[in-house]
Amino acid sequence: MIIAKDRITSRKNPIVMRAASLSDKKSREEMGLFMAEGVKLFSEAVNAELPIDSVLIDEEKFDTLLPMLKNELDGKKYEKTVIYLLSKSCFEKISTEKSPQGVIVIIKHLDFFKRCTKIIEETFLNGDKKYSIILSSMRDPGNLGSVIRSAVAFGAERIIISDDCADIYNPKTVRAAMGSLFKVEVLISDDLCRTVSAIRNGGRRVFAAELRENAVSLNDIDLAPSDIMIIGNEGHGIPEELSAACNGSVYIPISDRAESLNAAVAASIFIREQRLL
């Protein structure tokens, strides 16, 4: 690692301006960078050997964080990673946390996140066996991150999301996923109906998680580990055309005192149920 000689004190410094702009999706896409904040996500990024561009440190916490920095960034992979010391004011301009821990890591876009329907089709038509889940129109970044965290915790190896989901690199998504985002393949589809067709043509079943006419209770269906569940938008559910492209619909029976389950909870239940088979 390289520790920059001069501490940054101006909120208009190019380093500060560049990092602060990463809260905007357009800037993230243009620069091919995103940020993760906090000690845990910093360590998770290093442990996953992600391509770290730079690390920003609140100078007031540098002495406390220095042993961790030296330990985590030791080695050839991060020998050119630059550590910038920022004044508290500059750090707070970038931070999206209410109680910042004093470390922000800037990471290059990940090559196991792919935006290509053709790649998805080829993957499944070639006999893919990875345990997967599909997320449709999940527009809240915190919710998307929570679902990813739960899915990975219960064994998901791949997550397919529709291109109208929240940005996978949104700081809220990254924070809610709590490092799980660095451990799972993410494929972004611009046509989930076409994706579902490719999956079914490859010999796997796809089910929509929804309470719809003719939907089958999770208690009454034999799910196989190779089956793929689609979790939809909490407010609007799964589009009819996408539901029609599936093998069927499955719902989780719940008490009549509750209307529905949180998407992350529903995803966890479906995945855990399959993993027990």
Side-chain angles (χ1 to χ4, degrees):
M1 66 177 186
I2 302 170
I3 301 177
K5 294 181 179 179
D6 300 322
R7 69 188 184 98
I8 298 173
T9 58
S10 171
R11 290 164 68 96
K12 293 184 178 181
N13 181 283
I15 300 298
V16 175
M17 298 293 286
R18 182 184 76 150
S21 73
L22 294 179
S23 61
D24 178 69
K25 181 179 180 179
K26 183 178 179 180
S27 294
R28 290 194 296 271
E29 291 180 344
E30 288 179 349
M31 291 188 282
L33 299 171
F34 71 102
M35 66 179 179
E37 184 167 358
V39 173
K40 176 175 172 54
L41 287 180
F42 168 77
S43 294
E44 291 280 4
V46 174
N47 290 337
E49 298 186 342
L50 301 189
I52 296 175
D53 172 81
S54 55
V55 182
L56 312 179
I57 303 293
D58 180 344
E59 65 172 351
E60 293 185 1
K61 299 181 180 180
F62 179 68
D63 290 340
T64 302
L65 294 172
L66 183 57
M68 179 194 70
L69 293 173
K70 287 183 175 180
N71 180 61
E72 299 278 11
L73 296 175
D74 182 44
K76 188 172 183 179
K77 183 174 181 63
Y78 296 119
E79 63 183 0
K80 294 184 180 180
T81 298
V82 183
I83 310 298
Y84 294 101
L85 274 61
L86 279 61
S87 67
K88 188 175 187 64
S89 174
C90 289
F91 191 89
E92 289 177 344
K93 177 180 174 65
I94 302 166
S95 175
T96 59
E97 298 281 2
K98 292 181 179 178
S99 301
Q101 295 181 333
V103 56
I104 294 173
V105 57
I106 308 299
I107 306 168
K108 296 178 183 178
H109 280 190
L110 307 177
D111 60 8
F112 49 89
F113 290 4
K114 296 181 174 66
R115 182 188 297 273
C116 184
T117 299
K118 185 176 180 180
I119 289 175
I120 299 173
E121 290 179 330
E122 291 175 349
T123 295
F124 287 100
L125 290 176
N126 287 330
D128 172 82
K129 301 294 184 183
K130 280 189 178 180
Y131 194 85
S132 305
I133 187 169
I134 295 175
L135 307 180
S136 170
S137 303
M138 202 163 287
R139 296 188 176 93
D140 180 82
N143 202 28
L144 176 61
S146 295
V147 174
I148 291 172
R149 182 181 181 184
S150 294
V152 173
F154 286 105
E157 300 171 278
R158 175 190 294 114
I159 295 175
I160 301 171
I161 68 174
S162 57
D163 63 357
D164 62 344
C165 280
D167 183 19
I168 205 78
Y169 293 117
N170 186 299
K172 293 181 179 179
T173 305
V174 176
R175 180 167 61 247
M178 287 300 293
S180 295
L181 196 61
F182 307 152
K183 304 171 184 177
V184 65
E185 178 184 11
V186 177
L187 301 179
I188 304 171
S189 171
D190 59 6
D191 188 341
L192 278 188
C193 289
R194 183 174 160 187
T195 295
V196 168
S197 177
I199 293 171
R200 294 185 63 184
N201 287 336
R204 297 177 67 169
R205 298 191 300 176
V206 182
F207 292 98
E210 59 183 350
L211 183 57
R212 187 185 289 271
E213 185 178 358
N214 297 323
V216 180
S217 167
L218 182 59
N219 294 335
D220 300 324
I221 188 171
D222 292 324
L223 290 177
S226 61
D227 293 338
I228 299 177
M229 298 300 307
I230 300 180
I231 307 297
N233 180 290
E234 286 187 8
H236 305 289
I238 296 172
E240 288 189 13
E241 63 274 17
L242 181 57
S243 178
C246 297
N247 291 86
S249 299
V250 182
Y251 69 92
I252 300 171
I254 59 175
S255 165
D256 57 9
R257 291 177 293 173
E259 182 178 339
S260 62
L261 292 173
N262 173 276
V265 173
S268 299
I269 292 172
F270 279 119
I271 294 174
R272 182 58 177 163
E273 181 73 14
Q274 288 176 266
R275 299 304 267 184
L276 287 173
L277 297 174

